[in-house]
Amino acid sequence: MNIAKPNSYRSGPDERGHFGIFGGRFVAETLMPLILDLEKAYTAAKADPAFQAEMNGYLKNYVGRPSPLYFAERLTDHLGGAKIYLKREELNHTGSHKVNNVLGQIMLARRMGKKRIIAETGAGQHGVATATLCARFGLECIVYMGAVDVERQQPNVIRMEMLGATVMPVQSGTRTLKDAMNEALRDWVTNVHNTFYCIGTVAGPHPYPMLVRDFQSIIGNETKTQMQEVEGRLPDSLVACIGGGSNAMGLFHPFLDDPSVEIFGVEAAGHGLTQLHAASIAGGRPGVLHGNRTYLLMDADGQIQDAHSISAGLDYPGIGPEHSWLHEVGRVNYLSATDDEALAAFQLLSKLEGIIPALEPAHAIAKVMELAPKRPKDHLMVVNLSGRGDKDVPQVGDILRGKK
Amino acid sequence: MTTRIDTRFAELKKQGRAAFVTYVMAGDPDLTTSLDIVKALPKAGADVVELGIPFTDPMADGPSIQAAGLRALKAGMTLKKTLELVRDFRKEDNITPLVLMGYYNPIYIYGVDKFLADAKTSGVDGLIIVDLPPEEDEELCLPALKAGLNFIRLATPTTDDKRLPAVLANTSGFVYYVSIAGITGAAAADANAVGEAVARIKRHTRLPICVGFGIRTPEAARAIAEKADGSVVGTALVDALKNSLDADGRATAKTVNAVAELTAALARGVKGAQQAAE
């Protein structure tokens, strides 16, 4: 397929929510009026300086932004190549980048007069962020979480419950993130009149991929400013992990039209790409699920296949539609890291930098371990440290003890 | 273009009664039993047969139909075999309208043009694709109409007067009014509220309006048939099927009859509405 290069990589989506052939609004009629309302509300909010001012206040004083851009000196020395900077999204309130988007959506929900918030969650980071902001603004919060993930991310389940949210373990299908999303959509269809669906990633029907990206772009915008302050120029490369792809899109988007910046997304290769994995771009093809057309893992009949990743947050058989498009136009390179590579990176970063990463960004670190040594010492590489590893400590502890 | 759907609703209008529309999942619990069930439906009084296309992630369906789809997939059902089932059904029934209902991805992966051609030659009359709103008409709706298939749209309680014309614009065959905001098999609809909604939609279209979601009993089917041009029952039939299976989820000697008997009872309910309406 010959795909024409666009004049800008930052102009999407079109008015119908398409990034090339990807995206769209593939939802039941019951939801369609709601999605159109949301788009209208978002357009109005974007044009309202009071909305941005209020957001900025909470981003600074509640979330704790800007997050630092930290020079990882020992990791850099250890790998012996590119100069590695970590964008410290794990220092945000709630422990990951998810809060950036949730804050935006909760403020939109408030503008729309919605009092009941639902969310899906994989690792629980989006669920925790949603539960947190619902607590802060006095909103009812219901979080759908696959029963498998409830099991392997217990600390986050407990946190959500302490914050006053109801966690609904999802027993259908593969009992992971995709089924949590199905169940959240079923709840939304049933309770459309009073419910706002706070989607955690750059996927779903238009306008979600766009608005989540916009709320997450603060990551890349800050990085641009901070790198200018520290090094006086743009970074040379960006690396981020991808499940649905919101932390990656947030970092990448402000740099898409800077051609000198190499961009790498890292999918979860699970046990390996020839076995069970969660790398939709490496191992999937375009299909339609959860409101959008995008790369999906599926069989010859179009049935969605089980994804697998050690990381609950990446354990999803799809990817945000804008990533699918950026792959097809060749602007972003999509790589993948296995469970074992992520575990090794998890330990390396913990020991070298005193930072325990979540298993999700450990996938990004794993590829930094390959990419950085091949780059010169004046190459500036930014990796999005999208979440902290506290939630993974019990799981990784069990795995490491089991291996010994 | 006149399909079996158009012909059937014209006949029913002459008879002055509402249609009884049944839904079962293709390939549930296995291909052979499923074909026998589909063949039995018109004999038991179904006026229109809706056949579900199994899908792993049916976002608008409740637990019963989700489970039915998974049973079918586990038994090896595919979209290709669903079309073969329709072709086999047509060998002995060339009159009863048959509508495929499901989600877009299996069709998209099969290939839209190839699917439409194969569906038409197999004897499919119409399509209900839950996740294709009018905003995505170019995907399948317009090609389907061109291929001579009806594209039956869902209208819902959230579809207001302003939006209705867009929803009805490329709808043909009949309009499927989803009586509740919710998933299949959920709470029952209030017949009076349904009557008002049907009247509202009738102001925008001359197409027949069938009502589904939440109708489980002959009494409920009858109450809806007094307010609309058809009652759709799905989950109750799927539940009857499931209750007839053995402990391993396999068909038993009772399975086909279990579905047929409930179909007959529901059909009597719908036909009873004729007298009530007179």
Side-chain angles (χ1 to χ4, degrees), chain A residues 40 56 92 101 122 148 180 184 248 260 297 304 331 339 368 385 387 393:
Chain A
K40 246 185 263 164
N56 289 344
N92 294 334
N101 161 52
V148 169
S260 67
L297 300 179
I304 307 306
R331 177 63 187 99
D339 289 352
V368 167
L385 200 64
V393 165

Side-chain angles (χ1 to χ4, degrees), chain A residues 154-166:
Chain A
Q154 265 299 310
N156 273 345
V157 174
I158 297 164
R159 285 167 83 195
M160 286 185 270
E161 288 173 350
M162 283 176 175
L163 291 160
T166 305

Side-chain angles (χ1 to χ4, degrees), chain A residues 251-395:
Chain A
L251 176 65
F252 298 170
H253 197 259
F255 293 97
L256 291 175
D257 284 337
D258 296 309
S260 67
V261 181
E262 274 186 291
I263 306 182
F264 300 96
V266 184
E267 296 189 290
H271 298 317
L273 291 178
T274 55
Q275 300 171 58
L276 276 177
H277 65 85
S280 321
I281 284 185
R285 61 210 158 102
V288 174
L289 180 71
H290 293 154
N292 56 190
R293 178 171 12 239
T294 194
Y295 274 74
L296 297 171
L297 300 179
M298 56 191 157
D299 70 11
D301 189 43
Q303 305 298 336
I304 307 306
Q305 285 176 323
D306 298 359
H308 165 78
S309 170
I310 188 173
S311 140
L314 306 182
D315 201 343
Y316 179 71
I319 184 169
E322 194 167 8
H323 284 295
S324 292
W325 178 73
L326 289 168
H327 165 68
E328 289 217 341
V329 297
R331 177 63 187 99
V332 176
N333 298 304
Y334 291 88
L335 313 171
S336 58
T338 64
D339 289 352
D340 288 345
E341 289 171 330
L343 267 176
F346 179 97
Q347 296 170 80
L348 185 75
L349 193 71
S350 302
K351 285 182 178 148
L352 286 180
E353 295 289 349
I355 297 170
I356 300 177
L359 281 170
E360 291 79 17
H363 287 72
I365 302 289
K367 289 297 115 168
V368 167
M369 289 161 65
E370 282 179 24
L371 294 166
K374 297 176 196 153
R375 302 285 186 288
K377 287 189 191 301
D378 61 351
H379 179 106
L380 306 177
M381 182 174 281
V382 176
V383 50
N384 196 1
L385 200 64
S386 57
R388 58 175 169 252
D390 308 36
K391 69 183 174 63
D392 299 313
V393 165
Q395 186 195 357

Side-chain angles (χ1 to χ4, degrees), chain A residues 16 24-30 32-33 172 178 182 185-186 189-190 286-288 290 293 298 300-304, chain B residues 54-59 61 66 78-79 105 108-109 130-131 133 135-136 139 154 156 158-159 163 167 181-182:
Chain A
R16 296 168 61 209
R25 290 177 286 207
F26 297 90
V27 294
E29 172 60 23
T30 313
M32 209 47 230
S172 60
K178 98 176 158 73
N182 289 336
L185 284 163
R186 289 178 187 127
V189 163
T190 308
V288 174
H290 293 154
R293 178 171 12 239
M298 56 191 157
D301 189 43
Q303 305 298 336
I304 307 306
Chain B
F55 184 49
T56 40
D57 294 81
M59 289 164 293
D61 285 303
Q66 290 173 43
T78 61
L79 179 52
N105 198 52
Y108 178 68
I109 295 307
V130 180
D131 52 355
E135 281 74 7
E136 302 292 351
E139 294 284 339
L154 304 172
T156 71
T158 59
T159 314
R163 189 170 161 77
V167 169

